Amino acid sequence: MKSRDSPPRAAERLLVLFVKGPLQEEILGDLQEYYDDLSQEPRSKRKLFYWFHVLHFLRPFALKKLQTIHPNTTTMLRHSLLISLRNFKRYPASFLINTVGLSSALACVVLIYLWVDDELSVDKFHEHGDHLYHVMVNMDFPRGMQTTPNTSGLLGPLMEEELPEIDQVVRVAKYMEGAMLSHGEKIVKADGHFVTGDFFKVFSFKLIHGDKDNLWSNPDGLLISKSLANKLFPSERVALGQIVSYQNEKNYAVSGVFEDVPNHSSERFDFLLSYEQTASGENDELLDWGSQSTELYITLQPGTDIDAFNEKIKGFIGEQNERGAYRLPFATKYEDKYLQGTYENGEQVGGRIEYVRFFSLIAVFIMGIACINFMNLATARASRRFKEIGIKKVAGAKRSTLASQYLLEAVLVALVSLALALIIVLLVLPIFNQITGKQLHLRLSLEFASLLLGLAVGTGILSGSYPALYLSRFKPIAILKGRLNASTGELWTRRG
């Protein structure tokens, strides 16, 4: 048994693994003596020197010869591929049924994946997403507690002043849906928000033209999206400084142009106006404690305990509101708003995340059915290949060789099915987008292509595993004599 201060075992194993047999004993003996000579040195230093010398011996003269692939391996692989293609041609009905089944299942799974991936990516692109929160309020009514994102416009500045945990505050008023904007003879309907000055500092919406730090230096400034600018003007490049009429009531000068809101954003708007200017003018009710027209977003200082923060702000509005209409404000992660925005009795109970889980389960269920159908069809028609199995076994074929042959056929069917599935997805994606209200695209990035390839190969291996084991286990004598009867276990497996 080795002493506690023995050389590192991992280094010894590495040397034994790569160094030629005749040199192993000599090198290990020399290294052991060298290790013992350093007994006065710290143990960590001795192990470091030992590793250094082990790596020093991993040179061409001492390494084992790498085993090359036997030429028969390539021949066997080519032979297996040829047999698989011949079987597909010989039994076209089986090949067609399996391909149609797997391609339909894979197409459904790809569509569900695109939808689920889009759902999970909503609001995940904001730079400050880790500490960006949405302030919600629980309102206590006789019929029960209701949760709302609507607060008073006075709440934000007060919280920013009295709560040191808050870094930035953004107030948003959202009641300009279908507003009419016009420039000259061009009239466009668009949706807009009133926002405070730090909007583009808190949210990662991209500003194309304009000064982020002085967007609202002009009280009558207007920010518009790139697509809206192209509708009103020859191009977005000439939009700055142009006058736009809002509802034929007031004129605003374009002070900035921002990139269109991404599809994976829960916030949807085409133009923005100054909250402060609007609140101090014709919409002064925004600055009333009884108003419920403002949504409040905050960023917290790094390291803030959100549970402790929520305990701190309980009753904060009630102390400021004489009417006592509000109860228990709290902050929730902005990234969770889209997927987990359902509340019952003041508690977060889920939301669209339930659909994500449900459809993910459906995708697994669909692939399971497709694989089971593949197995069932392959085992049900196994009798057509008994003679082939018997002759191969008599010729000396091993069970592993036969199993790999049938697994290869299953993987080939899965790969062909994947190609057909992608064609199906491209054809039905426009209709799927209309049904789901999404703008999904099939982009074959390296990551996505690897995922699809892994799914196809995994499906082929899974669906072909039982037929491969089932067919390869038969004894050649029984096959050639025709004495094959399905066992009770096999029947129950197929029926299951």
Side-chain angles (χ1 to χ4, degrees):
M1 183 175 179
K2 290 193 175 185
S3 64
R4 183 180 179 185
D5 195 22
S6 60
R9 291 187 178 182
E12 291 180 346
R13 291 171 182 167
L14 180 67
L15 191 141
V16 170
L17 181 62
F18 288 100
V19 173
K20 296 176 182 178
L23 296 177
Q24 288 178 12
E25 186 176 351
E26 181 181 351
I27 295 175
L28 286 173
D30 292 341
L31 289 177
Q32 180 67 52
E33 291 181 6
Y34 178 77
Y35 189 81
D36 293 337
D37 291 341
L38 297 174
S39 59
Q40 302 302 321
E41 300 290 341
R43 188 182 177 200
S44 59
K45 187 174 181 180
R46 297 169 69 192
K47 289 184 176 292
L48 182 62
F49 276 116
Y50 193 91
W51 269 105
F52 174 78
H53 285 285
V54 166
L55 296 176
H56 178 72
F57 278 109
L58 299 181
R59 290 186 290 175
F61 78 91
L63 295 179
K64 297 177 181 178
K65 290 184 179 180
L66 297 177
Q67 294 182 350
T68 57
I69 299 177
H70 196 279
N72 286 339
T73 304
T74 306
T75 304
M76 287 299 297
L77 180 60
R78 189 185 304 114
H79 177 69
S80 297
L81 286 172
L82 184 60
I83 291 178
S84 299
L85 295 175
R86 286 176 177 173
N87 283 323
F88 296 158
K89 186 177 180 180
R90 186 178 181 184
Y91 306 111
S94 299
F95 175 71
L96 182 62
I97 292 172
N98 282 328
T99 303
V100 170
L102 282 179
S103 61
S104 301
L106 285 169
C108 292
V109 170
V110 171
L111 288 172
I112 292 174
Y113 170 82
L114 292 175
W115 182 85
V116 168
D117 182 66
D118 184 82
E119 289 286 289
L120 294 177
S121 67
V122 172
D123 292 334
K124 299 297 192 299
F125 63 95
H126 295 289
E127 181 181 351
H128 303 292
D130 291 340
H131 47 277
L132 175 59
Y133 290 84
H134 190 189
V135 176
M136 308 286 288
V137 178
N138 286 327
M139 300 180 65
D140 193 8
F141 293 101
R143 61 181 179 274
M145 188 80 73
Q146 292 186 5
T147 303
T148 175
N150 299 320
T151 66
S152 167
L154 296 173
L155 178 61
L158 189 64
M159 292 180 66
E160 186 175 20
E161 179 182 351
E162 298 192 10
L163 299 172
E165 295 90 343
I166 294 179
D167 183 23
Q168 292 175 304
V169 172
V170 169
R171 290 173 291 171
V172 179
K174 306 176 180 178
Y175 51 81
M176 291 188 293
E177 292 185 4
M180 185 175 66
L181 301 180
S182 60
H183 175 75
E185 297 181 355
K186 295 183 179 180
I187 301 175
V188 178
K189 283 191 175 182
D191 300 333
H193 296 340
F194 295 110
V195 301
T196 51
D198 290 338
F199 183 81
F200 282 93
K201 297 179 181 179
V202 171
F203 295 97
S204 298
F205 299 111
K206 185 177 179 181
L207 188 68
I208 304 174
H209 305 292
D211 184 359
K212 183 182 292 188
D213 297 323
N214 298 293
L215 287 175
W216 307 114
S217 57
N218 179 4
D220 293 329
L222 169 71
L223 303 180
I224 59 177
S225 67
K226 179 180 178 180
S227 60
L228 182 57
N230 288 324
K231 291 177 181 178
L232 292 172
F233 310 106
S235 74
E236 77 274 5
R237 298 181 182 276
V238 300
L240 289 182
Q242 297 288 339
I243 303 301
V244 175
S245 174
Y246 170 71
Q247 300 284 68
N248 288 328
E249 297 175 355
K250 187 173 182 179
N251 293 331
Y252 291 91
V254 177
S255 58
V257 179
F258 55 87
E259 194 69 62
D260 291 351
V261 176
N263 295 328
H264 49 284
S265 171
S266 60
E267 301 288 339
R268 311 303 305 175
F269 53 88
D270 303 302
F271 68 94
L272 299 172
L273 293 173
S274 171
Y275 182 96
E276 290 91 344
Q277 178 67 16
T278 302
S280 62
E282 64 272 14
N283 290 318
D284 56 354
E285 71 273 5
L286 290 174
L287 301 180
D288 184 277
W289 279 110
S291 171
Q292 301 180 37
S293 303
T294 300
E295 293 191 21
L296 183 59
Y297 303 92
I298 60 175
T299 57
L300 299 180
Q301 299 288 350
T304 301
D305 185 343
I306 186 60
D307 294 327
F309 179 79
N310 281 334
E311 284 294 326
K312 187 174 182 178
I313 64 175
K314 278 185 178 180
F316 188 83
I317 305 177
E319 295 176 1
Q320 305 296 331
N321 182 18
E322 296 179 357
R323 301 182 185 181
Y326 296 94
R327 297 291 186 274
L328 302 176
F330 64 96
T332 183
K333 204 73 175 289
Y334 178 78
E335 292 180 347
D336 298 336
K337 181 182 73 168
Y338 179 76
L339 288 178
Q340 303 185 53
T342 300
Y343 292 84
E344 290 182 5
N345 199 27
E347 297 292 333
Q348 197 175 55
V349 294
R352 293 182 67 88
I353 189 65
E354 302 297 333
Y355 295 104
V356 171
R357 294 168 181 163
F358 178 68
F359 282 107
S360 299
L361 184 62
I362 287 178
V364 174
F365 187 67
I366 289 173
M367 285 309 304
I369 291 177
C371 291
I372 290 171
N373 286 339
F374 186 99
M375 294 180 187
N376 207 17
L377 183 63
T379 51
R381 303 189 178 185
S383 60
R384 299 184 307 190
R385 308 191 65 173
F386 283 159
K387 289 184 179 180
E388 174 193 340
I389 297 168
I391 293 174
K392 283 185 175 181
K393 283 205 168 187
V394 169
K398 297 181 180 179
R399 183 180 180 184
S400 60
T401 304
L402 294 173
S404 62
Q405 165 70 43
Y406 304 127
L407 283 175
L408 178 62
E409 291 185 13
V411 171
L412 288 176
V413 172
L415 292 175
V416 173
S417 300
L418 175 62
L420 293 177
L422 294 178
I423 295 174
I424 294 173
V425 170
L426 289 173
L427 292 175
V428 304
L429 197 55
I431 301 174
F432 186 75
N433 283 334
Q434 291 181 3
I435 296 173
T436 60
K438 298 279 188 180
Q439 295 183 19
L440 305 177
H441 302 281
L442 185 62
R443 296 187 179 92
L444 291 180
S445 62
L446 180 60
E447 181 181 355
F448 185 49
S450 301
L451 179 65
L452 289 178
L453 187 61
L455 176 64
V457 174
T459 301
I461 293 175
L462 178 62
S463 58
S465 58
Y466 179 71
L469 297 175
Y470 174 79
L471 291 169
S472 62
R473 74 171 182 79
F474 293 123
K475 296 180 180 180
I477 296 177
I479 292 174
L480 296 176
K481 289 185 177 181
R483 298 176 181 176
L484 291 173
N485 294 313
S487 64
T488 304
E490 294 164 5
L491 293 175
W492 275 110
T493 301
R494 290 181 53 202
R495 289 173 182 174

